[in-house]
Amino acid sequence: VRLGTDNQVESAPPVNRKTWIAIVTYASGNAVVGTTVRFSLRPGRYRKGFYTFSLVSTTWLQTINVTCPNEDLNFDGILGPGEDINGNGSLEPGGIATVNATAVTNASGIATALVTYPKDHATWTEVILEARTGVVGNDPPTTATFFLVGLASDYADITIAPPGIVSPYGAGVA
């Protein structure tokens, strides 16, 4: 199983959607047809900062003050001892995005994953997309780690502030 994507983002306010594909082949390079691919998302890092408009580039530019590690150390979604690093009473970045649980490969060996997330978390939140075909525990997942992508047009108009003009996690350095 291998993961890939393109440079497109679908806008469906208040969310963005990013399409990824899992390509499943035999060692010979032939497509594996009709196989179920299981997808999941794990939270990654998160950024604190803000956007300002640049008259030079005529776009909104991101200022990142700090990139913080995922606080959910065991990925169980439950706040445990020693996990609330910033002391705000919750896990950051949390489960901010969704992905379809499964997809079946087509005649080309391709299964599609659709990652959906709020526009204001784009560029601030990292996720880890996992894809696997076998029984859980018997095959390691293929992973892709990426910051949620924003739509270019959301950062191009001086008269309209971009979604997430201030990171949902704050703008501080700690």
Side-chain angles (χ1 to χ4, degrees):
V1 179
R2 297 292 178 254
L3 288 166
T5 191
D6 59 13
N7 65 348
Q8 303 297 306
V9 180
E10 178 188 348
S11 178
V15 299
N16 284 338
R17 293 188 182 108
K18 179 71 180 153
T19 301
W20 283 76
I21 60 164
I23 300 175
V24 184
T25 62
Y26 294 105
S28 62
N30 298 106
V32 177
V33 180
T35 296
T36 299
V37 178
R38 291 188 319 279
F39 297 106
S40 61
L41 279 177
R42 290 182 179 228
R45 300 172 298 164
Y46 63 98
R47 296 170 172 161
K48 294 181 179 183
F50 55 91
Y51 278 90
T52 54
F53 195 82
S54 167
L55 294 175
V56 175
S57 66
T58 63
T59 60
W60 289 90
L61 298 178
Q62 186 180 44
T63 298
I64 299 168
N65 289 331
V66 66
T67 300
C68 304
N70 169 33
E71 293 182 330
D72 191 5
L73 302 176
N74 59 3
F75 297 107
D76 67 355
I78 300 168
L79 181 59
E83 288 187 320
D84 185 15
I85 298 167
N86 63 10
N88 70 349
S90 65
L91 293 172
E92 247 85 62
I96 198 60
T98 64
V99 67
N100 47 298
T102 62
V104 177
T105 57
N106 64 15
S108 297
I110 294 173
T112 302
L114 187 62
V115 179
T116 304
Y117 49 95
K119 285 179 160 287
D120 68 337
H121 283 70
T123 73
W124 300 115
T125 308
E126 183 181 63
V127 294
I128 304 154
L129 175 62
E130 297 182 345
R132 68 174 74 224
T133 57
V135 177
V136 174
N138 288 347
D139 70 325
T142 297
T143 62
T145 302
F146 58 96
F147 277 89
L148 298 171
V149 181
L151 191 67
S153 60
D154 284 341
Y155 305 90
D157 187 341
I158 191 171
T159 64
I160 302 172
I165 190 167
V166 175
S167 166
Y169 311 105
V173 295

